[in-house]
């Protein structure tokens, strides 16, 4: 079996052990004689899969009992709308922090439903840093504060959790959830598209504090109501059953590896090694302010952009795939989520050193 090192930002590499287990269970899940894909979402087999996945996620993230965990569809992009639709009614105003491409999309969508106050921005630095706590101009009457703890495209990460003085904090954790322990009680809502650290595309995980679940704005589609989704256990309609099952296998894989504390150690080592290699070379550059460098998405440029396509071709031939940077920024980007082993990062570092020697 030939597996490559896949540095895609998402959909991203999944742990091979998870894929193999899914293969073993593909046509006959646990003696049921059915694939999980073929099961009624309300049958006892799938209910047990769904409940186990939620219990495992609660354990991994130490999610307090007063939070609901929703397994939805529509991607993180739908949460850009669901958050204001469900929370903005309280005061009609919301604070947003702008740290790059994904914050901007959340802000644009938020503006359709409420008055948006830009409470902080790193646009002046071309999004190479995150605003500090003292730079935030938060409004006391905001219904919530929205931010993006990890900007997947810019590779910028908040080194702290903003203090919002009691205003519910909403975090788009699409590209950082499960990469390390996080104190869920600091947040009103945490949401993430699954296709990076959680499982396959098609599933969106939303963790929402119970008291924030109420009457959404008039005209909100039933499917977009947290109340409806919470009351029905994410089964108002047919949920993404197979993606939910696969996420459950990822949760078990994480538990077998020491949970999120264990993952954090490995992820820190992987990121440090790659940034060190970049900084030590005169050939590769990462523009991000060191304390705000992402553990998950590492963008870098070559001294000569004319070499980009050769770099990508040779990397691909060496089994290092999907290193092309986002089309909006160019250069390279290595996404090194939980499923990327340390050996994969080392193989990339070795390849980069060799490429520099031949072309630098
Ligand atoms: N937010 C962030 C931080 C992301 O990285 C992405 C996807 N790359 C999105 C939102 C959009 O997610 P989706 O495609 O699931 O809507």
């Amino acid at each position: 079996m030939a597996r490559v090192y896949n540095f895609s930002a998402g959909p991203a590499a999944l742990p091979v052990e998870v894929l193999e287990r899914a293969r073993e269970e593909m046509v006959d899940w646990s003696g049921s004689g059915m694939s999980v894909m073929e099961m009624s979402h309300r049958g006892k087999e799938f209910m047990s899969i769904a409940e186990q996945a939620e219990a495992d996620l609660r354990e991994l993230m130490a999610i307090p009992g007063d939070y609901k965990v929703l397994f939805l569809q529509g991607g993180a992009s739908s949460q850009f709308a669901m958050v204001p639709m469900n929370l903005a009614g309280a005061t009609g105003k919301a604070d947003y922090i702008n740290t790059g491409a994904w914050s901007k999309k959340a802000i644009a969508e938020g503006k359709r439903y409420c008055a948006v106050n830009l409470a902080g921005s790193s646009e002046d630095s071309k999004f190479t840093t995150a605003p500090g706590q003292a730079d935030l101009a938060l409004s006391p009457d905001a219904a919530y504060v929205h931010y993006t703890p990890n900007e997947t495209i810019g590779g910028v990460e908040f080194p702290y959790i903003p203090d919002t003085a009691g205003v519910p904090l909403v975090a788009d954790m699409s590209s950082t959830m499960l990469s390390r322990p996080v104190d869920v009680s600091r947040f009103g809502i945490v949401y993430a598209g699954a296709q990076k650290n959680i499982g396959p595309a098609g599933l969106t995980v939303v963790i929402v504090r119970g008291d924030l679940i109420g009457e959404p704005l008039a005209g909100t589609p039933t499917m977009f109501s947290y109340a409806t989704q919470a009351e029905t256990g994410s089964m108002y309609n047919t949920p993404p059953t197979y993606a939910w099952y696969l996420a459950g296998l990822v949760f078990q894989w994480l538990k077998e590896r020491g949970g999120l504390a264990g993952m954090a150690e490995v992820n820190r080592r992987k990121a440090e090694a790659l940034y060190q290699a970049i900084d030590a070379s005169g050939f590769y550059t990462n523009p991000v302010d060191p304390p705000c460098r992402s553990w998950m998405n590492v963008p870098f440029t070559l001294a000569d952009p004319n070499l980009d396509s050769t770099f990508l071709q040779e990397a691909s031939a060496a089994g290092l795939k999907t290193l092309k940077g986002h089309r909006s920024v160019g250069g390279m980007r290595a996404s090194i989520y939980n499923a990327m082993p340390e050996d994969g990062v080392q193989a990339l570092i070795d390849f980069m050193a060799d490429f520099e020697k031949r072309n630098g």
Side-chain angles (χ1 to χ4, degrees), residues 247-259:
L249 296 186
V250 171
F251 302 154
Q252 286 175 25
W253 181 86
L254 286 167
K255 281 175 60 177
E256 285 158 13
R257 273 155 192 79

Side-chain angles (χ1 to χ4, degrees), residues 4-29:
V4 297
Y5 290 124
N6 174 11
F7 294 90
S8 170
L14 283 162
V16 69
E17 295 84 359
V18 164
L19 297 175
E20 282 169 347
R21 168 119 182 244
R23 176 176 61 191
E24 282 161 27
E25 296 178 344
M26 176 61 74
V27 300
D28 175 13
W29 181 81

Side-chain angles (χ1 to χ4, degrees), residues 9-10 74-78 80 102-103 105 148 150-153 172-175 191-196 203-204 297 333 337:
S77 301
S78 291
F80 295 166
W102 292 111
S103 317
K105 287 208 160 159
T148 313
N150 186 72
E151 285 281 357
T152 320
I153 294 174
D172 172 3
M173 285 205 191
S174 292
S175 47
Y191 65 85
Q195 63 273 18
K196 297 150 194 317
L203 170 71
T204 313
N297 311 98
R333 173 176 47 168
Y337 301 116

Side-chain angles (χ1 to χ4, degrees), residues 320-357:
L320 308 169
K321 302 285 183 181
T322 340
L323 282 161
K324 196 173 177 10
H326 191 269
R327 59 190 182 281
S328 63
V329 290
M332 309 298 151
R333 173 176 47 168
S335 294
I336 49 176
Y337 301 116
N338 289 344
M340 174 58 64
E342 289 188 276
D343 286 353
V345 174
Q346 194 53 51
L348 174 61
I349 291 170
D350 293 345
F351 170 80
M352 287 167 68
D354 180 58
F355 187 87
E356 178 178 358
K357 211 179 292 166

